[in-house]
Amino acid sequence: MILNGSTYKGRIRHSLGGVGRNIFDGLSRLGSKPLFLSAIGNDPNGKTVLHNNPLKNPKGIHVSETIATSSCSVIVDGKGECGLIVGDMRAHQLITKQHISQFNDDICSAPLVIIDANIPLDSMIYTLQLCSNYGIPGES
C-alpha cells in the first residue's frame, strides 16, 4: 500500500477496546464489581461504552462534553498485520489526579489496582503512591 491519498478496497469493523475497558468489562461479566476510572466523550462511542454491559458500574467514568471518546483506526495489511494506527486519545488526559482522588477510599480498599499506561504520568504516579501507602498490589 502506498500512502498517496488513494482509496483502497477494504472492510471496516467497529469494536470496543482498550485494555482497561476490556478488563473492566470481563470482570463485570464474571460477577466482580470493579471500579473503572476513565474518561469518555458525550458522543455515540461514549454511550456505547456506557451501555454495552448492564453489569458495569459507571461511577468512575468522567463524561466530557468537549472531548471525544478515545478511538483509533487500525489499517491492517493483506496478511492481517498492523500497518498503521491513527488514534485520538485526548480523553485520557482527563484522567487527572483530581479525578482519581475522588475515589481514594475505593482505591485504598481494593485488592488490586490496574493502571493503563496511556493516562498522564502524574496521575499514574499519584495512583501508584496511593497503592504503595496502603500495600495494594498494582500493575501497569
Side-chain angles (χ1 to χ4, degrees), residues 91-108:
H92 288 97
Q93 299 310 304
L94 299 174
I95 307 170
T96 63
K97 293 189 311 186
Q98 293 75 24
H99 177 66
I100 294 167
S101 69
Q102 297 175 63
F103 303 95
N104 280 357
D105 291 341
D106 295 290
I107 294 168
C108 293

Side-chain angles (χ1 to χ4, degrees), residues 20-76:
R21 194 221 57 91
N22 291 343
I23 292 170
F24 175 56
D25 188 65
L27 288 173
S28 297
R29 292 177 190 274
L30 290 170
S32 183
K33 304 279 187 223
L35 173 64
F36 183 48
L37 302 183
S38 191
I40 60 174
N42 185 14
D43 54 27
N45 287 338
K47 288 177 173 70
T48 299
V49 168
L50 286 177
H51 301 295
N52 80 306
N53 177 349
L55 302 173
K56 295 188 304 195
N57 179 351
K59 82 174 187 176
I61 300 175
H62 171 75
V63 180
S64 173
E65 297 296 328
T66 59
I67 294 181
T69 302
S70 293
S71 64
C72 66
S73 293
V74 180
I75 308 300
V76 179

